[in-house]
Amino acid sequence: MSIFRTGLDAAYEWSAANAEGKDPIDSPEMQIRVWDKVIDNAERYNEPGVFTAFIGYEWTSGPGSNNLHRNVIFRDNGDRTRQVVPFSAFDSDNPEDLWQYLADYEARTGGRVLAIPHNGNLSNGMMFMLETFDGEPFDAEYASNRARYEPLLEVTQSKGAGEAHPLLSPDDAFADFELMDASNLTGTVAKEPEMLKTEYAREALKLGMAEEARIGVNPFKFGMVGSTDNHNAIPSTREENWFGKIYYVEPGVHGKEGVFIESAVDPKFSIYDRDMGASGLAAVWATENTRAAIWDAMKRREVFATSGTRLRVRVFGGWDFEEREVQLPDFAAQGYARSVPMGGDLRPGSDGASPRFMVRALRDPDGANLDRVQIIKGWVDANGDLQEKIYDVACADREIVDNACAGDVGNTVDVATATYTNDIGRAALSGWWEDPDFDPALRAYYYVRVIQIPSPRWTAYDAVYFDEEMPEGTAMTVQDRAFTSPIWYTPEG
């Protein structure tokens, strides 16, 4: 057996042990040495104003192989982070125990720390379940701790997108994006339809508002980021330059049959490399490129996610914006002075006023043009039912009719050559929108989704480069996108 396979087998052995809560290494001394090395590397390469390297680690909770992973990100330098060692899933699979560790760290060191749940699409309903890990109903303390220590959610990564699902949002033409919804993380338990509503971000945001109405605190008040979650030290997320999630499914002639995780139950539950997306990125509106400033922006949720593209988007929500103001050169200054940015709370306005939003989006300078800008609204109605609606607020080269772009933007992709042109779409889009259905008595959230024009998916580029024919049904085009953190409206009282 080669060293390559031995290392891979060891990784599978560790993953299986992790699912059972067993530590096959169990060496505190090794843990300390590795943590010191992590800190040393982050300190060595952190250069304020030029390149920020955070000290952090992944908490890999996976009870029953259901993905509850979190990334733990410290605001602090080595002088504080060396005072602790990471709290691992072998210590506990329970997120509440992780939050207690984070609270203890802050109390002991005076530092700051947060955790970012991975996208919940492989959790088989556990990520946003409406009970604690031990099966108890939420209370205000639970909700407060979750909102405090988990202000963000990873809504897209290589193992699928976790924003929305067609079964939950049947009226959303773009809800079928990079779905991975057959099973859990290791392909051991089939996905049941009732699991979906406690896996996807859009539904969780609505559930959080419903819980807030019941217990007074919103446990799912999170902003949205993307991440790669790759394990090959190659951070590229470009479709034309994606190197896969891990070394044994990097580009090559095996690409059409490569297996990332092989199910021992049923091949239809296996995760193949062609299923994964070249995603994603966390974008942060920070005042400077430093640990403190970037961490603070993440904490206040002034962030957005992309599926790998480097497009930019900014949104402000307020009460008195005029339509012409979205084009003013001091757009951002006016937004901060008179409204709230993504991740913020919109306080009640004057009687009869409806929320108004200004949005600007700019394409990736090396990528595809933009197709449309949308505002997704979710709310809890007077009967306590969860509702959502999608409004197109800017369209490339066509009008908006009944809150939707009049027709599709088109498609210039030639899959056979993995090429496209920017003859369609726009390099920049902006929109002003006033909620026409606003009820000041109802809780609501608003977030922006920006959709690019179709472009070749990484599978198309690999098929051309390696002269390979991908299996039937493989996605060969993609409409990359961005998702902003929500702006929440909460009525008084």
Side-chain angles (χ1 to χ4, degrees), residues 169-448:
S169 301
D171 296 329
D172 183 356
F174 296 94
D176 61 348
F177 180 69
E178 295 290 346
L179 295 180
M180 195 174 290
D181 59 355
S183 181
N184 58 6
L185 184 58
T186 58
T188 52
V189 179
K191 184 86 63 189
E192 300 295 337
E194 60 269 18
M195 297 174 178
L196 295 173
K197 77 172 186 177
T198 51
E199 290 192 335
Y200 286 82
R202 187 185 300 173
E203 202 71 13
L205 289 166
K206 289 183 284 186
L207 291 169
M209 292 190 300
E211 286 297 292
E212 182 182 33
R214 184 179 69 86
I215 61 177
V217 184
N218 186 341
F220 304 142
K221 198 167 187 177
F222 51 77
M224 295 193 278
V225 295
S227 300
T228 63
D229 198 31
N230 291 347
H231 295 264
N232 56 6
I234 303 175
S236 173
T237 59
R238 305 201 68 85
E239 301 289 343
E240 73 274 19
N241 191 38
W242 195 56
F243 279 77
K245 179 178 175 61
I246 200 165
Y247 63 91
Y248 56 85
V249 288
E250 287 181 0
V253 293
H254 65 278
K256 65 179 182 179
E257 298 297 345
V259 180
F260 167 54
I261 294 178
E262 185 173 6
S263 172
V265 175
D266 191 319
K268 69 183 180 183
F269 297 154
S270 295
I271 300 177
Y272 295 87
D273 61 352
R274 64 180 180 269
D275 299 326
M276 292 185 286
S279 187
L281 292 172
V284 181
W285 286 108
T287 55
E288 59 183 9
N289 187 359
T290 63
R291 280 179 183 162
I294 295 174
W295 192 96
D296 289 347
M298 292 194 293
K299 178 67 173 178
R300 66 177 181 264
R301 304 181 295 254
E302 197 173 348
V303 299
F304 61 94
T306 89
S307 60
T309 177
R310 292 184 179 271
L311 71 82
R312 296 185 182 187
V313 57
R314 205 162 204 171
V315 57
F316 293 96
W319 300 99
D320 63 351
F321 294 134
E322 299 297 332
E323 187 169 1
R324 64 177 182 82
E325 292 185 273
V326 75
Q327 302 299 340
L328 293 178
D330 62 346
F331 159 84
Q334 291 296 321
Y336 284 115
R338 297 159 48 201
S339 65
V340 296
M342 61 185 77
D345 288 287
L346 189 60
R347 300 304 178 190
S350 59
D351 290 346
S354 293
R356 298 177 177 184
F357 297 86
M358 298 195 301
V359 187
R360 283 185 179 178
L362 181 67
R363 80 169 211 202
D364 183 327
D366 296 318
N369 272 345
L370 307 181
D371 167 21
R372 69 186 71 196
V373 174
Q374 303 175 306
I375 288 182
I376 289 92
K377 177 186 177 181
W379 72 98
V380 182
D381 69 20
N383 297 319
D385 295 326
L386 309 182
Q387 306 289 349
E388 69 176 56
K389 190 169 183 178
I390 299 172
Y391 301 85
D392 289 350
V393 300
C395 305
D397 307 321
R398 57 216 195 276
E399 296 181 348
I400 296 175
V401 179
D402 294 331
N403 300 310
C405 297
D408 294 328
V409 69
N411 190 339
T412 67
V413 177
D414 182 351
V415 172
T417 59
T419 59
Y420 73 104
T421 70
N422 273 329
D423 295 338
I424 58 175
R426 294 283 185 88
L429 288 173
S430 60
W432 175 93
W433 180 77
E434 181 176 9
D435 185 354
D437 306 307
F438 179 66
D439 184 336
L442 303 179
R443 288 176 170 83
Y445 68 74
Y446 306 83
Y447 70 88
V448 171

Side-chain angles (χ1 to χ4, degrees), residues 33-56:
R33 287 199 301 271
V34 170
W35 182 233
D36 279 340
K37 187 173 182 179
V38 168
I39 294 172
D40 288 344
N41 284 336
E43 296 288 65
R44 179 178 299 115
Y45 294 108
N46 187 58
E47 188 176 351
V50 178
F51 181 83
T52 293
F54 283 104
I55 297 168

Side-chain angles (χ1 to χ4, degrees), residues 444-456:
Y445 68 74
Y446 306 83
Y447 70 88
V448 171
R449 183 171 65 183
V450 183
I451 310 288
Q452 292 183 178
I453 67 170
S455 58

